Amino acid sequence: MARDPRYDVLFEPVRIGPKVAKNRFFQVPHCNGAGYRDPMAAVEMRRTKAEGGWGVIFTEQVEIHHTSEITPFIELRLWDDRDVPPLAKMAEAMKSHGALAGIELAYSGINGPNLYTREVPRAVSAGPILTFTSDPVQARAMDRQDIRDLRRWYRAAFRRSQQAGFDIVCLYGAHGFGILQHFLSRATNQRDDEYGGSLENRARFLREVIEEGREETKGEMAISLRLSLHEEGPKGFSNEEVREFIASHAELPDLWDLAQGTWEKCSGTSRFVEEGAQEALVAGIKALTPKPVVGVGRFTSADAMVRQIRSGVLDFIGAARPSIADPFLPNKIDEGRIEDIRECIGCNICVSGDMTQGISRCTQNPAFMEEWRKGWHPERVRAKGESGSVLVVGGGPSGLEAARVLGMRGYAVTLAEAGRSLGGRVTQERRLPGLAAWGRVADYRVGQIAPMPNVEVFFDSRLTAEDVLAFGVDHVCVATGALWRRDVVARYHLEPGVMDATMPVYSPDDLMAGAGPSGGRVVIYDDDHYYMASVLAELLVARGCAVEFVTPAAKAAEWSDNTLEQGVIQRRLLELGVTLHLNRAVGAVLAGGVEVECTYTGRLGVLDCDAVVMVTSRVGQDGLYQDLRAREAEWAEAGLRSVRVIGDAEAPAPIAWATYAGRRYAEEMDSADIGDALPFRRQVVGVAD
Ligand code: ADP
Ligand code: SF4
């Protein structure tokens, strides 16, 4: 199919200093949890973006010197010449389809605790390290010699970036993380020498670094500046000052890459932030400078992108998460395949990979970070093997993804769903406050399997072992999901407690099905710690309930720190008038209330209520699988060669785990049994002399 002419503007080439980007699709720097530990995983991930049509592709942040590092977070390093080869591979991968390759250089200053190198952190001004982990470490203020050293290290980083083959150097001064922002901001720059005070002085270091970088690379590399659009606080580098700075340094970098103040704000989830939410902060900046401007906004709609360009807000469409969920987003727009775009759902599970020092994963794109490790590709799957037919039982995220990928591979797929719609848990959860975009998990997959002649879907089909054995297929994949418990069993209590039969107790499934209280005083007990309890609190407030939120954790929705949502969740609960009972566990459920235990002292109290909602843990619904296992002797006669259980039915987890399980099942169909071997490639550190 041909591209819709109204999207032509997105495919215009744009000059960035000495380089020209082939189009306006700009993959801004984003972390991925691989970094220096798994560089090849990152290399192949970036290569898929190149293949998918992005005009500019960046690395994540690259630490330029050992005196500033952000352990425990795993990013890239360019500490000396030995770091050049993996980065050269990355640049080569990025340029493999005509994209410009960018490297984001970072020196973390007040943001880097140096837990690994043990160097005393150096910052613009002295003070405690400002990062997520409240490390009991302070930075010292740099003196003039330190500043000269840092300029030399930037120069060396420019040289090595050029050696590695990059086209663009991005200087990181956004999200409060980079020292360039620390210089610019009066909050972190209290110097009284020529590097502090006036904006002119605070910008001096940046001017020097850019000038020296240009000299070092003989003007052959483009230089972009990644700045925060708005830093909060009375002395923060506010949007007003950002505009003043850009106006007075209009031609300093070759490109302005503008990101919202904090990472939490910049990468807001769809629960709290709309597509294109930064527009007010970035609008009008283009008029201050002749250099191109890039901004982000979780853009997945081609029309929204065009509007940003046509209305003169942006020159480039910046994207991190949309490029993770669909590395082929530009090509799909180019080829007139809008309906094939796998839209980011804005869940920030990708961010959690970095925050937990795991490796990132994506709810929508299970191939993300598995391109090298497992040889998965976001758009291509391996050829069909020798088997003929597969029955997938359950149309939730895992079953849908299994059916989609098996269908692409060419198997005869039957998808049997007990209910009347596809999507499983997503069908329910998308109706909860703020989670509408999560429905894209189902919509994308339903849209993809609909035209496949080899995938047949049956509704109202709650299958039993008897049905399955009578079906006559080669393989069965049981993806029947999970149900929430209606008791206290989770992490704090491993056993159910006493429950008075007169107290109404509900599970999240009950509430999602429309049951549960509408009014009165309700205790929500959260020993799950992710989003569900807080979302249900919002739902119950909207239903007119007075909500008491009880959790053994020290904060509400504790795990959502990893999706950058915890602060905004707790704020919302407080603003809604929800009462928080932190470090408290619900024990016995009584006639008129619940027993509440202090998790530190064991002291007991009673909280009166009219109903209780337990958000504790889930139980995999693997009954069908167990029944089939029990009848293994009958498989051969039924022609059945394998039965597997996947997704939440095997072990409940977030949606990303389910789509991954579906992909894995489908990818591994008819592949040789690898026994106990590691199921993915990894890089092993060699033995040093
Ligand atoms: P997952 O996250 O692993 O995909 P979900 O709970 O989202 O799991 O989806 C499970 C789906 O399986 C639901 O749509 C449910 O209706 C369906 N299901 C459960 N048991 C059966 C069964 N015996 N036969 C067919 N479908 C089933
Ligand atoms: Fe988007 Fe979620 Fe994938 Fe991140 S994990 S790219 S937020 S869908």
Side-chain angles (χ1 to χ4, degrees), residues 567-630:
V568 53
I569 288 176
Q570 189 148 335
R571 186 185 326 137
R572 171 151 312 168
L573 293 180
L574 293 170
E575 283 170 359
L576 287 173
V578 172
T579 311
L580 301 182
H581 303 266
L582 306 174
N583 307 311
R584 297 284 183 279
V586 167
V589 174
L590 313 170
V594 291
E595 198 173 58
V596 171
E597 177 187 336
C598 169
T599 58
Y600 288 100
T601 63
R603 203 172 297 138
L604 295 175
V606 171
L607 195 55
D608 293 341
C609 62
D610 305 308
V612 180
V613 176
M614 297 288 186
V615 186
T616 50
S617 59
R618 293 188 291 155
V619 181
Q621 300 300 297
D622 65 347
L624 173 62
Y625 171 70
Q626 299 301 348
D627 291 349
L628 285 165
R629 284 291 297 271

Side-chain angles (χ1 to χ4, degrees), residues 392-400 416-427 429 458 460-464 478-483 618 621 624 646-651 653-655 657-659 661:
V392 178
V393 186
S398 62
L400 275 174
E417 164 54 46
R420 295 197 167 176
S421 59
L422 293 174
R425 60 183 292 185
V426 164
T427 313
E429 293 183 30
F458 291 98
D460 291 320
S461 306
R462 181 171 293 279
L463 300 191
T464 61
V478 177
T480 43
L483 292 175
R618 293 188 291 155
Q621 300 300 297
L624 173 62
I646 65 165
D648 287 330
E650 183 182 22
I655 300 164
W657 276 244
T659 50

Side-chain angles (χ1 to χ4, degrees), residues 321-322 324-325 343-351 361-365:
R321 291 169 294 173
I324 291 173
E343 287 183 277
C344 168
I345 70 166
C347 62
N348 278 5
I349 281 292
C350 48
V351 173
R361 46 165 106 216
C362 169
T363 303
Q364 278 285 57
N365 174 17

